[in-house]
Amino acid sequence: MRTEFDFQPAGRRRVEAAFDAGRVSSDGGLLLLRELTKSSGVFRRFASCFRDHRDPSRIEHTVEELLAQRVLGLLCGYEDLNDHDTLRDDALLALAVGKADPTGEQRKRERDRGHALAGKSTLNRLELATPIVAGDERYKKISYDDHGIQRLFVDTFLAAHTEPPAEIVLDLDATDDPVHGQQEDRFFHGFYDGYCYLPLYVFCGNFLLGAALNTANEQPASHAVEELERIVAQILARWPSVRIIVRGDSGFCRDDLMRWCEDNGLYFVLGLQKNSRLIEEIDAEMSEARAIAERTGKNARVFKDFRYETNRSWSCERRVVGKAEYTTDKENPRFVATNLSCDEYDARGLYEDLYCARGDMENRIKEQQLGLFADRTSAHTLRANQLRLWLSSVAYMILNELRRIALVGTELAHAQVSTIRTRLLKIGAIITTSVRRIYISLSSVFPFQHVWWRALDNLRRSRS
C-alpha cells in the first residue's frame, strides 16, 4: 500500500503528501467552547432535564456526553446525524465532550471498538426520546422533561444579570420552517406557499427565552399567551419589580394577548394590521407627508396619536399610533397598538425608537435558522423535531454566552455565528496524546490568534 503521493511540482520543488499527520481536527476552536461549557455547566444542566433508563453497566456514552456531542457539532457546522459517524473519531470533539479517553485507544478492547464518541444511530435514539419509557422498550430508553428544558433558557438569562434590570422587552416572532417529507402534523400554509412548521420564538435582547415548534394550521399568536405566562412567571419569581414590555408584529395584535398583558400589569407595543378605517384616520397626515416629500424630494413621515377600537374583535378602546409615510412615489401607512402612555412615549418615539427596534430579533432568528440549523426538522414526529429545535437553541445559548463573556472587547463581540465559526472555531489542530498529557498543536498562521487569546483570558477571568 502506498504511503506517499507525488503531485505536480511547484517550480523546482517536488510536491509530496502522505497520510501521516496523526490525529487532526479542523475544529481547534472547540478548546474555547470546552472552557466555556465546563465552567458554566450548561451540558450538566441540560442533561438534568433527561431521564436515562438504560442499564448503567452497558452505557458507553452518558446523556450529558450525547447532548454535548450533538450541540457542539451544530456549533461547528455539522447539521446532520450522519456527520457523527465520522466525527465519532475526532479526538478534539471527544475532549470537548468530556471523554477521559478522547482518542478511543482504551476502548479498542471494549464494546465501542476504538470509537471515542457515539455514532448516528445512538444519537438518533436520543432524539426519538418519548415522554415515558415503556417497560418492554428495547431501544428508546431516554425520556426528557419538556418544562425543564424550557426553564433552562430563562434560568440562563436570569443568571447573566448580577442585578435585576428596571425594564425588559420581550420580543415575539414566528417564522416558517419548511418540511419536505411526511412529518407528523405538517400542514400547508398559504402565505408561505408550502408545507411547514411555524416555530414561535421569544427573545429578550440577544437572549433566547423560548422556542416552541408550532404547527402551520394555527395562527402564530395562538400559543403566545401560553409561552408568555410561563416565561413571565419565571422572571417575576426572581425579579418581582421588573417592568415588562411585550413587543411583536401585527400577527400578535390579538385581543386575548393584549387583555392578558393589561390584566397582569404588563405593557405591550404591537403592530396593527392596516384597514380602511385606520387609513382614513390618518388621511390628513398622509396628505401632509406627501406635500413634504414632494417639496424636499425625500421620504417624509408624519405621526398621529389616537384612540381606536375594532368593530368586533377588541374588548375595549386602546391607544394607536399611526405613521403616515410617503416614500417619494407611494404611500406607506403603518400602525402600532399600545397601552404605554403618551407622557412616556410620544407617537414618533414609540414607533421609531421602541417598536422598530424589534427588527434586531429577526437577525437572531435568522442566525439560529441558518447558522445553527434550527430548520433541520426532518424527523418524523413533532416531538423529535421539537427536541431538534431545542438542541439548536442550546447551541445558540452557548454562542451568546461566548459573545457576552469571552469575546467582549474584541472585533467578534457582535459577530454572527457563521463569522465566529469561520474565524474562531475552524482552526487546524493536531492532537498528540501520552500517558501524562494531551497536547494540541494549533495552526501557527491563524490570523485571529489575538482574539483567541483574549477570549481565553476573558473566560478565565470570569471564573475568578
Side-chain angles (χ1 to χ4, degrees):
M1 180 177 176
R2 293 182 61 186
T3 58
E4 294 186 358
F5 303 88
D6 296 323
F7 295 90
Q8 296 290 337
R12 296 182 179 180
R13 297 177 179 176
R14 295 176 60 184
V15 178
E16 301 175 344
F19 290 104
D20 59 0
R23 293 187 178 274
V24 180
S25 175
S26 62
D27 303 305
L30 280 167
L31 288 171
L32 276 181
L33 295 177
R34 179 176 182 267
E35 286 294 302
L36 174 64
T37 56
K38 284 285 186 181
S39 59
S40 67
V42 59
F43 292 132
R44 173 181 51 78
R45 291 185 287 119
F46 191 19
S48 69
C49 303
F50 290 73
R51 296 291 177 270
D52 192 349
H53 300 274
R54 296 175 296 173
D55 182 354
S57 65
R58 297 177 178 271
I59 292 176
E60 290 288 329
H61 312 286
T62 66
V63 171
E64 182 175 342
E65 291 169 346
L66 293 174
L67 294 172
Q69 179 180 345
R70 187 73 167 100
V71 172
L72 291 173
L74 292 172
L75 282 163
C76 289
Y78 305 104
E79 60 180 297
D80 285 322
L81 288 176
N82 292 340
D83 297 327
H84 288 269
D85 268 9
T86 302
L87 290 173
R88 67 191 306 192
D89 294 313
D90 190 311
L92 198 51
L93 178 59
L95 181 66
V97 164
K99 291 292 186 179
D101 176 29
T103 62
E105 291 294 331
Q106 298 175 10
R107 290 178 178 270
K108 286 184 178 179
R109 298 181 297 275
E110 299 176 8
R111 288 183 291 272
D112 217 14
R113 295 165 298 184
H115 298 296
L117 295 170
K120 65 179 187 298
S121 298
T122 303
L123 292 171
N124 184 54
R125 287 192 288 272
L126 171 69
E127 291 189 354
L128 296 178
T130 55
I132 300 175
V133 175
D136 58 348
E137 176 58 55
R138 183 176 181 180
Y139 296 108
K140 307 181 189 67
K141 294 191 174 184
I142 299 174
S143 60
Y144 66 84
D145 174 20
D146 307 61
H147 301 296
I149 296 175
Q150 290 171 330
R151 292 183 62 86
L152 174 65
F153 301 109
V154 182
D155 283 338
T156 301
F157 164 67
L158 295 170
H161 297 76
T162 55
E163 294 183 0
E167 177 182 282
I168 60 174
V169 178
L170 303 184
D171 283 307
L172 303 173
D173 205 357
T175 187
D176 67 311
D177 180 359
V179 298
H180 305 286
Q182 298 298 319
Q183 284 95 322
E184 181 183 45
D185 290 335
R186 72 176 194 134
F187 291 95
F188 185 87
H189 197 286
F191 179 81
Y192 296 111
D193 193 27
Y195 288 90
C196 62
Y197 292 126
L198 290 179
L200 171 65
Y201 290 95
V202 182
F203 279 83
C204 182
N206 291 331
F207 289 91
L208 175 63
L209 304 186
L213 189 65
N214 297 325
T215 56
N217 62 330
E218 297 180 292
Q219 293 295 324
S222 299
H223 300 278
V225 172
E226 178 184 348
E227 280 292 289
L228 284 174
E229 283 180 335
R230 176 183 60 79
I231 292 170
V232 169
Q234 194 173 346
I235 293 173
L236 292 179
R238 185 83 62 87
W239 301 339
S241 301
V242 69
R243 191 173 91 143
I244 300 175
I245 300 176
V246 176
R247 185 167 58 189
D249 62 19
S250 60
F252 297 93
C253 194
R254 305 278 291 272
D255 189 66
D256 58 343
L257 192 152
M258 291 186 287
R259 279 193 295 106
W260 182 83
C261 290
E262 292 161 345
D263 293 342
N264 289 276
L266 275 66
Y267 295 89
F268 60 83
V269 52
L270 304 168
L272 177 60
Q273 184 69 40
K274 60 187 176 184
N275 57 46
S276 57
R277 284 179 57 202
L278 290 169
I279 293 174
E280 183 180 355
E281 184 71 36
I282 62 168
D283 185 62
E285 286 73 20
M286 187 62 76
S287 298
E288 182 182 350
R290 180 170 187 166
I292 295 172
E294 290 175 346
R295 184 175 68 253
T296 62
K298 299 179 181 179
N299 295 350
R301 289 179 173 181
V302 178
F303 291 88
K304 182 178 181 180
D305 210 319
F306 58 96
R307 305 293 296 181
Y308 175 79
E309 182 179 0
T310 62
N311 290 329
R312 292 187 299 273
S313 58
W314 285 12
S315 58
C316 64
E317 184 181 77
R318 294 183 173 99
R319 180 191 177 195
V320 170
V321 168
K323 180 197 71 170
E325 182 177 42
Y326 196 80
T327 61
T328 70
D329 62 344
K330 65 178 181 180
E331 297 179 349
N332 183 35
R334 290 288 187 272
F335 302 91
V336 172
T338 185
N339 62 343
L340 290 164
S341 69
C342 303
D343 295 335
E344 188 170 6
Y345 285 96
D346 63 10
R348 181 179 293 273
L350 181 82
Y351 185 87
E352 294 183 342
D353 299 334
L354 182 58
Y355 178 71
C356 289
R358 64 169 295 275
D360 189 58
M361 179 198 183
E362 297 180 1
N363 294 328
R364 304 286 75 78
I365 293 177
K366 289 177 183 177
E367 188 172 30
Q368 191 174 344
Q369 294 282 105
L370 302 179
L372 294 170
F373 320 110
D375 59 349
R376 200 72 170 87
T377 49
S378 54
H380 175 66
T381 66
L382 183 66
R383 181 177 175 83
N385 287 320
Q386 173 66 80
L387 181 55
R388 285 191 173 187
L389 177 58
W390 281 332
L391 289 168
S392 172
S393 299
V394 172
Y396 173 86
M397 185 173 69
I398 293 172
L399 175 80
N400 189 51
E401 291 296 282
L402 184 70
R403 283 188 296 223
R404 186 180 68 86
I405 300 173
L407 299 180
V408 62
T410 73
E411 60 260 46
L412 298 181
H414 303 288
Q416 292 209 358
V417 60
S418 56
T419 302
I420 293 174
R421 179 183 294 140
T422 302
R423 298 186 181 181
L424 207 65
L425 302 183
K426 290 296 181 180
I427 316 171
I430 298 176
I431 301 95
T432 307
T433 62
S434 67
V435 175
R436 295 183 180 274
R437 71 171 183 170
I438 299 172
Y439 184 78
I440 294 96
S441 179
L442 300 174
S443 171
S444 61
V445 295
F446 178 56
F448 290 90
Q449 289 185 40
H450 62 291
V451 177
W452 216 86
W453 289 117
R454 177 70 179 275
L456 186 59
D457 186 53
N458 286 338
L459 283 171
R460 288 174 174 171
R461 288 185 180 185
S462 70
R463 296 202 303 264
S464 60

